[in-house]
């Protein structure tokens, strides 16, 4: 007897092959049979679900995620499950929660170097108060948390470099590179599927190309995968992409460009980058990219200073003194794109002084400012735009105001058709979108939904549905079969995972049942005051390792995810 039988559906199997009619049978967490119309299943199953008029596809993959930021606090992964995602890949952009030790442990002891991983590091410190742990220890903690989706970890170059030489703003010595290589190897041996770098962040921004090649060779020898947030997506965008190609070619590693779009104030590089990657593939270099499906983002002052990882309290302290304000203003204005600290994407708006591209969205202490650009607020007050932003930030306790900044170019018509483009780049941690407060602002409130509706920004809980609803159905950029491939077998093949991502016997039963005519990132009548209407529509069931985790818009409470480790 089967555990689950999905009958009368249309299977989109994840390989890009034409869809076909079949019943899908699941037992002990795996797909055990596909019954075509001439070989119908006899209905002998614990649960039979008629999915007539629906498609059955593999579960969708969060290829560029940051679940490790918050997965120990929000292991249910509801923000991913409700949009059809059954597997998340953490550790991107060189940002990973381990290993921790040496100079890196000393930084953490001083309250520095936590960055986005502050929640995870707090949880790990409770388990390891000596501030010494490896990636394997973190994976054990994730396993103990009972994740709601399957979990894949990548080793992070920034954390590894921090562990060896702290935040030293210099090239690594030969001995230090060898030690980093040992830590990369240890991370892969403990279960990581590859290595990532974030070359606009501290301390990765100080790494020389030879350092990255040496570490990528360690990955290649273990048949791993290398992904990079390249060394600039604005003025240095093309040369940074060229560096990635050269790294992959010299190291012989399969590699991925994260965040493929161009960033303000230098737009239009997407097609050139695709040509560059295609030319390298013709030479035998194994390359892909992932794509952010949004061009506007929410922000605070901290977003423009993101690489420094200031906490709200630290910002308040800095902004409360004339010297602190002057220092921050100087940093924003004078740290140019050729400086290692000046290449981060959002910094282009601040460096170029284009504050008309930044709009105040949420400002509880003065609602009259909402909808005004920072340039307009500054003009009204007769101050520099930076000072206007500093004043608003102080008034909001360092954590606000909420801003919209328009700095990512929408190049989806040029980049999405490339067959090696993985979709979508989710680029967020885990949270409960329905929570009144999920901690750290990681929940969705009516104001967030209003922002999405009024600006056209995609919902962070509706990115996969947007691919199938907009790029596939509405615009016809991809066939349905190809759209599903970009979210399943393509990303998993990059990671070297062969037993998931396709609907065929023997594969783990990670499945999504959806209506291709209705699927969308939110309901047509979405109303921010009724948050449930702003959730994805058209997804009927989400199955993780054979267990039904989502039924309609309702999470069942089942947490059937597994921590996957590289064999």
């Amino acid at each position: 007897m089967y555990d689950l039988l999905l009958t009368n559906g249309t299977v989109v199997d994840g390989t890009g092959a034409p869809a076909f009619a079949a019943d899908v049978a699941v037992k002990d967490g795996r797909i055990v049979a596909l019954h075509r119309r001439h070989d119908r299943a006899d209905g002998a199953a614990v649960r039979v679900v008629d999915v007539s008029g629906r498609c059955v596809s593999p579960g969708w993959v969060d290829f560029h995620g940051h679940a490790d930021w918050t997965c120990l606090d929000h292991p249910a992964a509801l923000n991913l499950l409700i949009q059809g995602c059954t597997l998340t890949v953490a550790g991107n952009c060189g940002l990973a929660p381990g290993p921790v030790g040496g100079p890196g442990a000393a930084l953490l002891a001083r309250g520095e170097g936590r960055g986005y991983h502050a929640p995870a590091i707090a949880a790990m410190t409770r388990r390891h108060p000596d501030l010494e742990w490896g990636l394997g220890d973190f994976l054990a903690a994730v396993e103990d948390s009972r994740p709601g989706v399957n979990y894949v970890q990548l080793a992070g170059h920034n954390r590894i470099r921090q562990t060896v030489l702290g935040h030293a703003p210099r090239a690594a010595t030969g001995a230090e590179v060898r030690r980093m290589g040992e830590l990369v190897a240890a991370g892969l041996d403990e279960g990581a599927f590859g290595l990532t770098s974030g070359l606009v962040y501290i301390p990765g921004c100080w790494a020389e190309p030879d350092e990255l090649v040496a570490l990528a060779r360690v990955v290649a020898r273990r048949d791993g995968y290398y992904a990079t947030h390249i060394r600039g997506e604005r003025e240095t965008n093309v040369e940074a992409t060229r560096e990635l190609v050269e790294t992959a070619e010299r190291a012989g590693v399969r590699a991925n460009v994260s965040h493929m779009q161009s960033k303000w104030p230098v737009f239009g590089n997407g097609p050139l980058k695709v040509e560059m990657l295609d030319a390298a593939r013709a030479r035998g270099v194994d390359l892909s990219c992932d794509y952010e499906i949004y061009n506007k983002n929410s922000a605070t002052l901290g977003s423009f200073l993101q690489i420094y990882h200031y906490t709200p309290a630290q910002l308040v302290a800095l902004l409360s003194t004339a010297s602190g304000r002057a220092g921050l203003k100087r940093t924003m204005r004078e740290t140019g794109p050729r400086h290692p600290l000046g290449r981060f994407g959002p910094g282009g708006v601040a460096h170029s002084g284009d504050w008309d591209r930044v709009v105040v969205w949420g400002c509880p202490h003065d609602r009259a400012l909402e909808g005004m650009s920072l340039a307009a607020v500054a003009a009204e007050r007769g101050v520099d735009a930076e000072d206007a932003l500093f004043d608003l930030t102080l008034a909001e306790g360092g954590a606000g105001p909420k801003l919209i900044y328009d700095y990512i170019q929408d190049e989806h018509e040029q980049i999405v058709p490339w067959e090696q483009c993985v979709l979508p780049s989710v680029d967020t941690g885990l949270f409960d979108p329905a929570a009144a407060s999920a901690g750290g602002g990681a929940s969705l409130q009516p104001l967030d939904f209003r922002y999405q509706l009024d600006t056209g920004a995609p919902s962070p809980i509706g990115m996969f549905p947007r691919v199938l609803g907009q790029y596939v159905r509405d615009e016809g950029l991809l066939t349905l079969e190809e759209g599903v491939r970009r979210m399943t077998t393509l990303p998993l093949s990059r990671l070297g995972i062969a037993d998931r991502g396709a609907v065929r016997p023997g594969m783990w039963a990670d499945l999504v049942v959806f209506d291709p005519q209705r699927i969308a990132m939110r309901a047509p009548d979405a109303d921010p005051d009724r948050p449930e209407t702003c959730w994805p529509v058209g997804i009927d069931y989400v199955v993780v390792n054979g267990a039904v985790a989502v039924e309609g818009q309702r999470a069942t409470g089942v947490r059937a995810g597994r921590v996957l480790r590289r064999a």
Side-chain angles (χ1 to χ4, degrees), residues 220-242:
R221 286 196 291 271
R222 286 167 166 74
D223 192 28
Y225 155 85
Y226 173 63
T228 181
H229 184 137
I230 58 176
R231 208 183 298 267
E233 300 155 310
R234 297 161 18 219
E235 294 86 347
T236 59
N237 196 352
V238 174
E239 63 196 71
T241 304
R242 186 175 297 115

Side-chain angles (χ1 to χ4, degrees), residues 337-355:
R338 299 291 166 182
H339 190 286
L341 298 176
R343 296 174 176 141
F344 183 56
V349 172
H351 181 65
S352 62
D354 294 315
W355 294 107

Side-chain angles (χ1 to χ4, degrees), residues 90-113:
N92 281 286
C93 298
L95 308 173
V100 167
L107 282 169
L108 296 183
R110 296 197 301 270
E112 302 175 28

Side-chain angles (χ1 to χ4, degrees), residues 213-347:
V213 171
L215 301 182
R217 283 174 174 155
V218 174
V219 176
R221 286 196 291 271
R222 286 167 166 74
D223 192 28
Y225 155 85
Y226 173 63
T228 181
H229 184 137
I230 58 176
R231 208 183 298 267
E233 300 155 310
R234 297 161 18 219
E235 294 86 347
T236 59
N237 196 352
V238 174
E239 63 196 71
T241 304
R242 186 175 297 115
E243 178 188 1
L244 175 276
V245 172
E246 292 171 355
T247 298
E249 195 158 20
R250 290 173 61 191
V253 70
R254 63 180 180 274
N256 184 78
V257 179
S258 302
H259 315 304
M260 189 65 167
Q261 290 97 313
S262 305
K263 308 292 169 64
W264 183 264
V266 182
F267 282 179
N269 284 323
L272 177 59
K273 291 168 65 178
V274 168
E275 290 177 10
M276 189 184 305
L277 298 180
D278 243 353
R281 283 183 60 82
R283 300 195 303 271
V285 188
D286 192 353
L287 298 169
S288 60
C289 75
D290 59 69
Y291 184 84
E292 297 161 324
I293 62 168
Y294 48 87
N295 67 314
K296 292 184 177 68
N297 222 334
S298 58
T300 62
L301 169 59
S303 303
F304 299 106
L305 301 165
Q306 213 161 358
I307 64 170
Y308 302 98
H309 297 304
Y310 290 123
T311 65
Q314 289 170 329
L315 282 174
V316 167
L318 280 168
L319 297 176
S320 297
T321 67
S323 61
R325 292 170 75 103
L328 285 183
K329 187 186 294 187
R330 188 164 52 249
T331 294
M332 296 169 77
R333 288 184 173 184
E334 298 179 10
T335 309
R338 299 291 166 182
H339 190 286
L341 298 176
R343 296 174 176 141
F344 183 56

